[in-house]
Amino acid sequence: TGIAFRVEPGHEPATLGALRERELISSAYLERELPVVTEGGTFDALAYVIDPDHVQYCQLDREEQAQIIARAVGGRGPNRDYLWSTTEHLAELGISDPDLD
C-alpha cells in the first residue's frame, strides 16, 4: 500500500527523476506500472515495490519491526514519524492496513 498523487502536467520528467533518485538508490525497490482501482475507474500507476530477493529485504515479526521503527532515524527523520504519516495519509484515502495501524 502506498500514497498516490497526480503530477501537474509539464512536471512529469522532473517528478519521475526525483522519484527514481529517491526510490531506486539501493536497488531494493523495483519500478512497476500497476493497475489502481479508484471511484473514477481503473488506471495504471507507477509504483515502487520491494524486491524480496534483495539483500535488504527481511522477514521480521511485528514486535521486532515495532522495536526497530521506534529507534530508527534516517536522513528524513525518525522512522516512527514516517510510519505515523503513512498511516495518516492512508486513513485520509480511506485505506486501512491493520499491520500498520
Side-chain angles (χ1 to χ4, degrees):
T1 305
I3 304 301
F5 62 94
R6 291 186 185 270
V7 176
E8 190 174 327
H11 293 267
E12 298 91 347
T15 302
L16 184 56
L19 283 171
R20 286 179 172 157
E21 183 178 327
R22 184 184 75 197
E23 301 297 336
L24 301 177
I25 192 167
S26 70
S27 302
Y29 289 94
L30 305 170
E31 185 177 273
R32 296 289 184 257
E33 194 168 299
L34 301 171
V36 175
V37 179
T38 69
E39 291 176 357
T42 301
F43 63 94
D44 288 333
L46 191 62
Y48 294 92
V49 297
I50 190 71
D51 179 355
D53 295 325
H54 194 275
V55 68
Q56 290 179 325
Y57 182 81
C58 65
Q59 292 285 347
L60 301 174
D61 65 42
R62 256 186 250 134
E63 181 59 32
E64 289 176 286
Q65 293 175 45
Q67 292 299 321
I68 291 170
I69 290 168
R71 294 187 309 268
V73 177
R76 293 185 177 93
N79 194 225
R80 67 179 180 272
D81 292 352
Y82 180 79
L83 172 63
W84 293 331
S85 175
T86 299
T87 56
E88 181 179 290
H89 284 103
L90 289 173
E92 289 170 3
L93 295 169
I95 299 169
S96 176
D97 185 320
D99 289 335
L100 293 179
D101 293 341

